[in-house]
Amino acid sequence: MSCPILALTGTFLLLSGRTHTCLDESKVGTVQRVEDDRGTVLYEQNADKLLIPASNRKLFASATIASCLGPTAQLSTDVYRDGEDVIVRGDGDPSLGSWRYFREGDFDQLAETLRGQGVTSIRDLVIDVSAFDRVLYPGGWKLGNIGSDYSAPVDAIAWGENEIANDRAVENPALYAGTVLREALDLR
């Protein structure tokens, strides 16, 4: 049997028009249905198998990124200096400071780089989240789930997946990221 290629590459979901032998059913939980804009089913495997969903939002986010930015796009977090100010511009990089990607020391490395450049004080630390709108919680989320780590706010900057101790989510991703970076800089 042939079906479109469905592959996860980093955080991107890629769906090509080429055909390939279907995924080994013993290694895939379920892919309910992938459709094009006309509603044509492009891929379906184990669609009748009932399983507990595991982070399905990553699939939609990855598909959106691949569709809007292209399959080779990479999200980044950029850092600029403007005189005595440091500006951190988020682009939605989900791996920034994440233990899942062994990146907990990202801000420590940044602080060390700044110190290596002779930065001994910072007047203003600006966390720029203008790449995203200000809707941090999708309208369909249940209110009772807000604040849990599995419903962390969605923003252009996500330090440590916007999670804090005791399986909780941060309320303000920019403020949280700025606080963690300030602590790493230790330049108050």
Side-chain angles (χ1 to χ4, degrees):
M1 175 179 188
S2 293
C3 56
I5 296 172
L6 180 69
L8 290 173
T9 305
T11 58
F12 297 108
L13 169 74
L14 304 178
L15 179 65
S16 79
R18 300 175 307 197
T19 58
H20 189 270
T21 304
C22 287
L23 301 169
D24 180 353
E25 287 191 27
S26 67
K27 295 184 177 145
V28 173
T30 182
V31 175
Q32 290 238 336
R33 179 171 291 174
V34 179
E35 300 178 358
D36 66 12
D37 57 354
R38 293 182 303 275
T40 305
V41 176
L42 300 175
Y43 183 81
E44 182 176 67
Q45 184 167 331
N46 297 337
D48 58 340
K49 191 180 269 187
L50 298 176
L51 297 172
I52 297 172
S55 299
N56 285 337
R57 71 180 183 178
K58 291 177 188 135
L59 297 175
F60 293 104
S62 298
T64 300
I65 291 165
S67 175
C68 295
L69 303 178
T72 59
Q74 292 186 347
L75 301 176
S76 64
T77 303
D78 301 319
V79 180
Y80 306 93
R81 281 183 55 205
D82 182 15
E84 294 180 36
D85 299 338
V86 171
I87 302 154
V88 179
R89 185 180 182 281
D91 192 25
D93 177 6
S95 64
L96 180 67
S98 171
W99 60 270
R100 295 177 207 271
Y101 301 94
F102 306 103
R103 293 189 52 190
E104 300 99 320
D106 283 350
F107 281 167
D108 292 329
Q109 292 173 359
L110 172 59
E112 194 59 38
T113 299
L114 289 171
R115 283 197 276 296
Q117 293 179 354
V119 175
T120 57
S121 66
I122 292 176
R123 183 181 60 197
D124 288 323
L125 174 61
V126 178
I127 307 296
D128 178 1
V129 293
S130 63
F132 280 32
D133 62 27
R134 300 316 314 139
V135 179
L136 300 181
Y137 300 98
W141 284 9
K142 292 182 180 179
L143 233 92
N145 293 341
I146 304 297
S148 299
D149 62 346
Y150 55 82
S151 61
V154 179
D155 208 347
I157 194 144
W159 173 260
E161 301 177 30
N162 289 338
E163 294 177 344
I164 53 177
N166 301 320
D167 299 323
R168 304 300 300 158
V170 302
E171 290 184 30
N172 183 328
L175 179 62
Y176 179 59
T179 301
V180 173
L181 179 53
R182 271 274 185 210
E183 288 171 0
L185 289 168
D186 200 31
L187 298 174
R188 296 170 215 260

